[in-house]
Amino acid sequence: MTTQKKLKALVRARMDKTGESYTVARRQVLNDQPTDTYQLRGGVSPETAALANILASRGITDPTTGQPIGEALVLGVGGGVGAGYILWEFHDDNRRVVTTAFRNQWQYPDRWFLKTCERLGVPVTLTETTGEKRAAQQLNQALDAGLPVLAFVSTVDLPFWHLPEEEAGWIGYTLALYGRHGDRILVDDRNHRRLTMSTDATAVARGRIPSYKNRLLVPDAAATELTEEKLVSSVEAALVEQVEHLSSRSDSFSLPAIGKWVKMLTEPRHSKSWARVFEDGDGLLRALVWTHESVTEVGIYGGNLRPLFAEFLVEAARLTGRDLGAANLAYRQAALAWGAFADECLKAPVVKEVVELDARRREAVKTGDAGWEEAAAVAARSNALIRASDIGLDLAGRNQLFQDMGAALAEVHIAERAALAALAGSIS
C-alpha cells in the first residue's frame, strides 16, 4: 500500500505535470495503482472491517497520526455499538431463527455506511438493481476503474464458508470486493491471504436477498482528505449518538432488547419464551450455536463488539481530550459479561463441539483460497451436527439451561446499563 507521504509526493508530481487540481490528481494516482497494492488487514466485524480496509487502501488516514483509519475508529464514528434481539418463527416450514446484533443501526446497514462515510468526509456512490446483468455491469465498472466496493451479500451463498445450503438467504452482511485474479473476484472478508470466488458465485451471493437489490457502495475516498477538525467533530457527534441510541426504549434495536431476551429465557409462560418456542427441541441447537457465535468472535459476524468499542474510546479520548477511562473500563466489563453468557450455551456438549469446528473453519478462511479444503472438511461435520438437531438434553435439562442463560444475560443487562451511564457521564 502506498504510504501517505509517498502518495502526496506522487500527487504533487502529477499536478506539476498535468496542471490538475489536487483532488483530481489524487484520484488518478490512486486509480492507477494495481489491485495487488490492496492490503489485506483482517478485522473483527464484516462491515467495519470492510470499510476500514477500503479506506486504508485508498489513502485515507487519521490526520493526527498519519496512520490508516482503523476498524475501531470506523465503528465508533459510525455511532458505536448497538443491541438487538428478535426471535422469528416461520410456521410454514417450522423454522425458528434467532437474530442478535451488536452494532449501531444494524438493521439499516446501508444507512450506517452512508452516515459513517459522511462523517469521514468520503463521498459514496450507491447502486441498486434487480437485474442480474445490470448488477454485473455495475460491479465490473467499479473494478475496471480500480475502485474497491462494498457488496451486500447472502452469507450462506459465499462458497468459502461452506455453510448449510438450507439457510441460504436467511441473513447477510457486507464485504469488500477489490479486483480480479484471472477470471475470479478478489474478496476481502477479513482474510489475511488471497481469497477469491467465481463471478457466478458472486452474482448468486449478491442477488439472493431481494431487499439488497444487488447493492453496491463505492466510497470515492480519493475525492477528499480527512482533516483533524472534521475527525474530532465526527467523534464528538458519534459519542452523543451512541448515548442517545442506547437510551431509546426500543426492545428490538436498543438496550431494552436485552431485558426482553432475559424474560424470554426465564419466564416460560410467555408466548415467545424459549421454553415454549423450543419445547420440542427442534431448531434449538442452531439457536444455541448462533447465540454463542454471535456474541463471541468465534463465529462469522464479529461478536459483541464491546472490546472494539473500548479501543475506540481510547482513540476518542486522545482526539477530544475527554476523560473516557471509566466508560472504557465499563465496556470491557460488559464484554466479559457477554462472554460468561455465551459460555452458558456450551453446557450442551454438542454446542461446544460445533463451536470448536466453526472456530477452525474461520481460521481456515483467514488463510484464503489455501484454506478451502480445511474449511470444507470441518464445515461438513458442523453442518451434519446442526442438521441432526439433538442437543442431548431432556425437557427439564433444556429448561434449566434457559434459566441459567437468563441469569447470565441479566448480568449482561446490568453491565450494559452501567457502561452506558459511564459514557453518558463522561460527555455531559
Side-chain angles (χ1 to χ4, degrees), residues 162-404:
H162 305 279
L163 293 165
E165 294 178 0
E166 62 270 18
E167 295 181 13
W170 286 16
I171 193 166
Y173 61 65
T174 310
L175 48 66
L177 306 176
Y178 65 94
R180 296 186 184 87
H181 180 71
D183 60 354
R184 297 176 67 82
I185 304 296
L186 289 164
V187 180
D188 182 358
D189 194 358
R190 298 153 293 164
N191 41 293
H192 297 282
R193 294 171 62 187
R194 186 177 64 218
L195 179 66
T196 64
M197 60 181 174
S198 69
T199 54
D200 287 344
T202 304
V204 170
R206 293 181 59 206
R208 176 74 71 178
I209 300 176
S211 62
Y212 283 0
K213 299 179 181 177
N214 294 289
R215 184 180 299 131
L216 292 178
L217 291 173
V218 187
D220 186 7
T224 187
E225 281 193 82
L226 181 61
T227 65
E228 180 176 354
E229 181 181 10
K230 175 71 171 176
L231 180 58
V232 171
S233 65
S234 294
V235 168
E236 291 279 12
L239 289 170
V240 172
E241 181 190 1
Q242 173 74 103
V243 172
E244 291 178 348
H245 172 67
L246 291 181
S247 299
S248 74
R249 297 182 179 181
S250 171
D251 64 1
S252 292
F253 307 119
S254 189
L255 285 192
I258 302 174
K260 178 179 70 174
W261 195 1
V262 171
K263 291 181 180 179
M264 299 307 99
L265 288 166
T266 60
E267 298 180 6
R269 294 185 178 181
H270 196 285
S271 62
K272 282 282 190 177
S273 73
W274 281 40
R276 284 198 175 190
V277 173
F278 297 108
E279 185 174 8
D280 57 4
D282 190 25
L284 179 56
L285 176 56
R286 196 186 302 270
L288 290 171
V289 170
W290 167 264
T291 297
H292 184 280
E293 294 189 2
S294 68
V295 167
T296 69
E297 291 185 28
V298 169
I300 296 173
Y301 297 96
N304 64 72
L305 301 181
R306 272 55 185 173
L308 196 62
F309 185 66
E311 290 181 29
F312 162 70
L313 291 176
V314 174
E315 292 294 297
R318 177 181 63 82
L319 289 164
T320 66
R322 292 185 179 276
D323 182 1
L324 300 172
N328 183 324
L329 178 61
Y331 274 102
R332 294 191 183 278
Q333 292 295 323
L336 293 175
W338 277 112
F341 166 66
D343 286 346
E344 292 295 330
C345 301
L346 303 180
K347 288 182 176 179
V350 68
V351 176
K352 184 176 182 180
E353 183 177 359
V354 173
V355 165
E356 289 173 350
L357 289 167
D358 290 352
R360 289 173 57 190
R361 177 183 59 199
R362 180 167 183 182
E363 290 305 307
V365 172
K366 286 180 181 179
T367 66
D369 290 342
W372 181 280
E373 291 185 4
E374 170 71 5
V378 296
R381 176 59 179 159
S382 172
N383 295 344
L385 290 170
I386 289 288
R387 288 171 181 137
S389 196
D390 180 10
I391 68 165
L393 296 176
D394 60 16
L395 181 61
R398 294 198 297 269
N399 288 338
Q400 184 60 54
L401 174 62
F402 300 154
Q403 291 297 320
D404 293 343

